[in-house]
Amino acid sequence: MPVPADPTVLHPMPGQPRVVLLKPLVKSPLIEVGEYSYYDDPEDPTAFETRNVLYHYGPEKLVIGKFCALGTGVRFLMNGANHRMDGPSTFPFPTMGGSWADHFDLLTGLPNRGDTVVGNDVWFGHGTTVMPGVRIGHGAIIATGAVVTGDVPDYGIVGGNPARLLRTRYDARDITRLLAVAWWDWPVEHITEHVRTIMSGSIDDLESAAPL
């Protein structure tokens, strides 16, 4: 029987310490990552939680699905990055301490877009930035250097700053079929048997391969 890849191994590629699986890496209860999603960075991929998830003071979560590919420098900006914009200064005086902390009420009620949620099988190009509260659909592709300020549809391809929808990878009918087959939720043994179909087959092939 074909043997599946091990989702618990931190460095899945022998001799390539720049690649890490995120699920066995992350420790924060505010970050959830599905199996086999990975990050590639030649400097320090193991610092993902502190270098790539920024201003994460809570309570919102970052949720990343299974089988996602994150290129070097992908960053998620969380809601803690927000400042007041309704007065003369945007500087967060109360966070600096001293008697300024007596005015912490000025920082309550800042805009909060909620959790940032990434679907399954999403590919992030080099140096992409995802703004707070964005939802990215299954099978999406985020182009190199994109700044994602709004939601991305399933199987959408977005690029630019701010990112805009360039096209979808499939038409609406085929996207519905792909979401119904949801190969990422198959048992890993079944995925292992049908890797070639998942990577290069047609939607008909994928539907035919789906477990009964």
Side-chain angles (χ1 to χ4, degrees), residues 44 82 116 118 161 167 177:
D44 188 3
N82 285 322
T116 298
V118 177
N161 180 7
R167 64 180 178 88
R177 295 170 65 193

Side-chain angles (χ1 to χ4, degrees), residues 72-168:
T72 303
V74 173
R75 286 183 169 84
F76 297 90
L77 274 57
M78 307 303 287
N79 284 297
N82 285 322
H83 290 230
R84 287 188 72 120
M85 296 187 294
D86 57 347
S89 175
T90 61
F91 190 80
F93 288 90
T95 63
M96 297 296 107
S99 63
W100 294 356
D102 295 339
H103 306 287
F104 222 90
D105 61 294
L106 294 172
L107 299 181
T108 61
L110 290 175
N112 188 318
R113 297 187 62 189
D115 297 342
T116 298
V117 180
V118 177
N120 302 288
D121 192 24
V122 176
W123 175 20
F124 292 87
H126 181 282
T128 62
T129 301
V130 179
M131 299 300 283
V134 165
R135 292 179 176 260
I136 297 175
H138 304 300
I141 297 174
I142 314 301
T144 293
V147 178
V148 185
T149 61
D151 294 351
V152 178
D154 296 311
Y155 291 93
I157 301 176
V158 301
N161 180 7
R164 62 182 180 85
L165 182 65
L166 303 176
R167 64 180 178 88
T168 55

